[in-house]
């Protein structure tokens, strides 16, 4: 492997361990360090004080599955196939009946890290397809403890099977059966299981002296929200706050474990979330997006701007705050750089290497593209954000009580019909107006100048865009988790219905 001397100084030749803490539906406003009033994230706040806080960090899509695909490929979902062409600008994810998943043609971060001798583990939610060909151990991971889908349920196991939990190649049980989640009280000990898995894996790797990549993708803050008994009722914020407190406590224990084993200075840790807080389930089952507009499912700031912290004692100067425009796709490129590897040159990689930002405080000029399904909705360059399309959700969905922007109607911005602004984009200055409430006047010189710059970036992006094969178009009840590998041993195989492929319907 290449020497990392330029990063680490002459003493360290070995590539550092990489630990990505990837939250589920956790909002920018959920951390004390970002101003959450109850201040119930002491460990994350301490992590920020010891490392670098990113104020302008984004996901690649306002929904779970596409953002995870983007993180692990370094590519926008429109390139890696995690989108649909069934309806314009529709958010699509990987429910149980989805036929698609992460294609073999995509190169995932763990596959590449293997070349530098890394041992790779995923703990928690995979969400990149649950059929056998999409299994994480077929895409570079050596170990897995967790689930292929969301912890929705319980299901009746005839119309719809309960979601399986895997250890490596085989299921070891199902949610609501062997892994209890009490929907009345919110009690579940899953976060404790995920914590113990992380501590055990780190200990094992430290003993074997092999570098590791640990992707800790836990989901307690995704509705139905859960926490273990000792955390229930302990927060100022109800059940959602209990879940956040347990996650914060777990992250504190993981970082302390790295320090006690003497490997914290050789472990790069990054904390962020897959999309903004799900306001549709707030306030009891959802978090806070701080000052930002709307939440999960939308391409307003509340749906796409994420809490983010980099921590690497002895390398990252403590107490750093960066205004770098960062994205989950950058974690791919940055991790490869840490391992002394080049990103693949045979495909478009959207992520940039954040190490000069993190280690030397540099700022790299780059745009942020806000996609929703197959449509580029908005572009950010510097402090300006131009909306080429606006849409929160349809009137039909809204009339059923589904609201991604509760209490936040901004006239002409949070629209319930898809509004095209291609010829005259809505422009916001996010420094003065982080909540996207005051569009700049079309007639102003500031508008003309900023839109000119952004339009050139947009044109360049569109000219070179080769969309991937959409993976989220076809659904079939027969492919649900009826008989995952390992079900025979447990006596938990279920009979699948006849195959009947249909176009997936995506209301949002």
């Amino acid at each position: 492997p290449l020497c990392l001397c330029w990063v680490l100084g002459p003493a360290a030749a070995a590539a550092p361990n990489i630990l990505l803490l990837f939250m589920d539906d956790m909002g920018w406003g959920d951390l004390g360090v970002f101003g959450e009033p109850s201040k119930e994230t002491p460990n994350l706040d301490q992590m920020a004080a010891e490392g670098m806080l990113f104020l302008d960090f984004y996901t690649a899509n306002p929904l779970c599955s596409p953002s995870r695909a983007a993180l692990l490929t370094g590519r926008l979902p429109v390139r890696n196939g995690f989108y649909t062409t069934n309806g314009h600008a529709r958010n699509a994810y990987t429910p149980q009946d989805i036929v698609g998943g992460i294609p073999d043609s995509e190169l995932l971060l763990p596959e590449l890290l293997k070349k530098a001798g890394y041992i790779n583990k995923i703990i928690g939610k995979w969400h990149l397809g649950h059929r056998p060909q999409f299994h994480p151990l077929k895409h570079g991971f050596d170990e897995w403890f967790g689930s292929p889908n969301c912890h929705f349920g319980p299901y009746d196991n005839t119309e719809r099977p309960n979601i399986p939990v895997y250890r490596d190649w085989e299921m070891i049980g199902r949610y609501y059966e062997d892994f209890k989640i009490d929907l009345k009280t919110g009690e579940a000990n899953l976060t404790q299981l995920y914590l113990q898995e992380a501590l055990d894996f780190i200990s094992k790797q430290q003993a074997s002296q092999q570098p590791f990549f640990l992707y800790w993708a836990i989901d307690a803050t995704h509705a139905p929200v859960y926490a273990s008994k000792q955390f229930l009722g302990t927060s100022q914020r109800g059940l959602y706050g209990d879940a956040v407190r347990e996650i914060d406590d777990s992250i504190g224990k993981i970082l302390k474990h790295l320090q006690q084993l003497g490997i914290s200075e050789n472990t790069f840790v990054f904390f962020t979330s897959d999309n903004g807080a799900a306001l549709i389930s707030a306030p009891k089952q959802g978090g806070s997006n701080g000052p930002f507009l709307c939440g999960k499912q939308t391409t307003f700031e509340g749906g796409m701007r994420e809490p983010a912290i980099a921590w690497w004692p002895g390398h990252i100067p403590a107490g750093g705050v960066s205004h770098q425009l960062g994205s989950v796709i950058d974690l791919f490129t940055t991790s490869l750089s840490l391992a002394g590897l080049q990103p693949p040159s045979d495909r478009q990689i959207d992520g940039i290497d954040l190490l000069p930002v993190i280690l030397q405080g540099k700022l790299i000029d780059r745009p942020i593209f806000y996609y929703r399904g197959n449509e580029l909705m908005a572009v950010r360059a510097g402090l300006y954000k131009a909306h080429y399309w606006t849409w929160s959700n349809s009137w039909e969905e809204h009339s059923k009580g589904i609201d991604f922007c509760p209490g936040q109607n901004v006239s002409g911005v949070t629209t319930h019909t898809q509004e095209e602004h291609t010829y005259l984009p809505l422009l916001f200055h996010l420094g003065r107006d982080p909540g996207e409430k005051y569009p700049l006047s079309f007639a102003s010189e500031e508008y003309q100048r900023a839109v000119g710059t952004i339009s050139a970036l947009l044109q360049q992006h569109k000219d070179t865009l080769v969309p991937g094969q959409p993976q989220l178009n076809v659904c079939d009840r027969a492919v649900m988790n009826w008989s995952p590998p390992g079900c025979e041993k447990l006596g938990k195989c279920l009979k699948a219905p006849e195959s009947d492929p249909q176009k997936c319907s995506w209301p949002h």
Side-chain angles (χ1 to χ4, degrees):
L2 298 175
C3 176
L4 275 195
C5 307
W6 62 275
V7 177
L8 304 171
N17 307 310
I18 298 166
L19 170 51
L20 299 184
L21 305 166
F22 203 48
M23 302 301 106
D24 202 340
D25 292 4
M26 201 187 255
W28 195 91
D30 279 335
L31 273 58
V33 71
F34 285 124
E36 203 291 309
S38 61
K39 291 274 188 281
E40 291 177 338
T41 54
N43 294 292
L44 284 164
D45 299 349
Q46 178 69 20
M47 183 185 177
E50 292 171 6
M52 176 175 273
L53 189 65
F54 283 83
L55 300 180
D56 297 76
F57 197 85
Y58 289 88
T59 185
N61 185 275
L63 211 60
C64 303
S65 331
S67 58
R68 288 157 201 271
L71 182 151
L72 291 173
T73 61
R75 284 150 61 77
L76 290 166
V78 72
R79 293 194 218 274
N80 64 36
F82 266 70
Y83 70 104
T84 181
T85 51
N86 286 358
H88 178 250
R90 288 303 196 277
N91 282 326
Y93 63 108
T94 54
Q96 279 207 66
D97 53 355
I98 200 86
V99 170
I102 195 73
D104 279 341
S105 56
E106 290 297 322
L107 285 172
L108 272 61
L109 178 58
E111 292 176 70
L112 298 165
L113 288 176
K114 269 186 181 304
K115 296 177 183 172
Y118 279 74
I119 302 294
N120 309 306
K121 178 157 186 158
I122 167 173
I123 296 173
K125 185 161 97 176
W126 170 237
H127 227 205
L128 300 189
H130 59 272
R131 297 166 71 208
Q133 66 266 41
F134 306 127
H135 193 292
L137 271 57
K138 287 205 171 160
H139 293 272
F141 284 102
D142 300 295
E143 297 182 22
W144 181 24
F145 178 78
S147 175
N149 308 80
C150 257
H151 55 281
F152 289 140
Y155 298 121
D156 60 6
N157 283 343
T158 53
E159 285 297 305
R160 187 168 283 226
N162 277 322
I163 305 291
V165 176
Y166 279 78
R167 175 166 305 284
D168 300 334
W169 286 108
E170 297 187 336
M171 73 177 277
I172 52 172
R174 292 182 187 268
Y175 284 140
Y176 299 98
E177 295 171 28
D178 318 272
F179 294 88
K180 300 279 192 284
I181 303 170
D182 187 320
L183 293 181
K184 283 197 181 73
T185 64
E187 186 182 343
N189 68 344
L190 287 164
T191 302
Q192 292 304 309
L193 294 178
Y194 294 145
L195 167 62
Q196 199 53 52
E197 283 291 319
L199 300 177
D200 292 349
F201 176 72
I202 291 166
S203 297
K204 188 175 78 180
Q205 288 313 119
Q206 193 267 339
S208 74
Q209 300 287 299
Q210 267 185 296
F212 67 78
F213 165 49
L214 174 55
Y215 174 50
W216 200 62
I218 61 165
D219 62 1
T221 41
H222 186 299
V225 172
Y226 60 79
S228 58
K229 195 162 195 156
Q230 76 251 41
F231 287 93
L232 286 178
T234 64
S235 158
Q236 302 290 310
R237 306 176 62 193
L239 179 58
Y240 184 85
D242 299 344
V244 170
R245 286 201 65 231
E246 183 167 16
I247 288 169
D248 178 78
D249 181 77
S250 301
I251 290 171
K253 287 184 169 130
I254 290 169
L255 299 184
K256 193 172 178 189
H257 192 56
L258 293 170
Q259 288 166 326
Q260 285 169 340
L261 292 175
I263 56 172
S264 60
E265 296 204 356
N266 196 36
T267 306
F268 175 85
V269 185
F270 201 96
F271 166 92
T272 189
S273 176
D274 63 349
N275 45 248
L279 299 185
I280 185 173
S281 45
K284 289 186 176 170
Q285 297 265 326
S288 161
N289 296 313
F292 302 120
L293 186 61
C294 300
K296 178 180 177 174
Q297 297 266 14
T298 76
T299 47
F300 301 111
E301 292 295 287
M304 303 247 326
R305 203 187 296 206
E306 307 308 322
I309 303 167
W311 185 86
W312 190 11
H315 303 279
I316 299 176
V321 175
S322 178
H323 283 286
Q324 172 66 42
L325 299 193
S327 169
V328 297
I329 51 179
D330 303 338
L331 298 176
F332 174 88
T333 317
T334 305
S335 297
L336 291 179
S337 180
L338 285 163
L341 299 169
Q342 293 294 322
S345 56
D346 65 341
R347 63 200 60 211
Q348 177 71 42
I349 300 295
D350 296 295
I352 63 170
D353 179 5
L354 291 175
L355 285 186
V357 175
I358 293 168
L359 299 174
Q360 295 146 27
K362 294 200 166 162
L363 283 177
I364 300 165
D365 196 21
R366 66 91 71 89
I368 293 290
F369 297 111
Y370 300 71
Y371 269 90
R372 184 163 167 161
N374 58 350
E375 186 59 69
L376 182 58
M377 305 287 284
V379 181
R380 177 175 174 183
L383 286 166
Y384 293 99
K385 178 178 177 183
H387 290 266
Y388 292 90
W389 286 87
T390 51
W391 190 41
S392 58
N393 65 331
S394 68
W395 282 115
E396 185 192 359
E397 293 284 299
H398 192 253
S399 66
K400 292 179 192 163
I402 294 169
D403 191 353
F404 303 138
C405 311
Q408 288 191 303
N409 179 41
V410 180
S411 181
V413 180
T414 54
T415 52
H416 291 294
T417 51
Q418 294 184 17
E419 298 292 336
E420 185 171 1
H421 307 280
T422 311
Y423 302 107
L424 210 56
L426 289 182
L427 186 72
F428 295 92
H429 185 291
L430 294 177
R432 300 194 294 261
D433 175 26
E436 296 170 282
K437 293 182 176 65
Y438 309 104
L440 270 70
S441 160
F442 297 134
S444 67
E445 195 185 315
E446 183 183 13
Y447 178 92
Q448 304 291 342
R449 197 173 55 242
V451 166
T453 305
I454 294 177
S455 294
L457 290 167
L458 172 68
Q459 201 50 53
Q460 191 184 352
H461 174 71
K462 288 202 159 168
D463 287 348
T464 56
L465 181 68
V466 182
Q469 188 69 33
Q471 294 295 311
L472 307 180
N473 279 353
V474 183
C475 288
D476 185 352
R477 281 190 58 223
V479 306
M480 290 204 276
N481 292 288
W482 301 105
S483 296
C487 68
E488 303 84 4
K489 289 182 198 169
L490 303 172
K492 284 192 171 284
C493 302
L494 302 167
K495 187 172 165 19
E498 289 290 303
S499 177
D500 180 22
Q502 313 244 339
K503 261 179 91 165
C504 303
S505 151
W506 305 108
H508 309 310

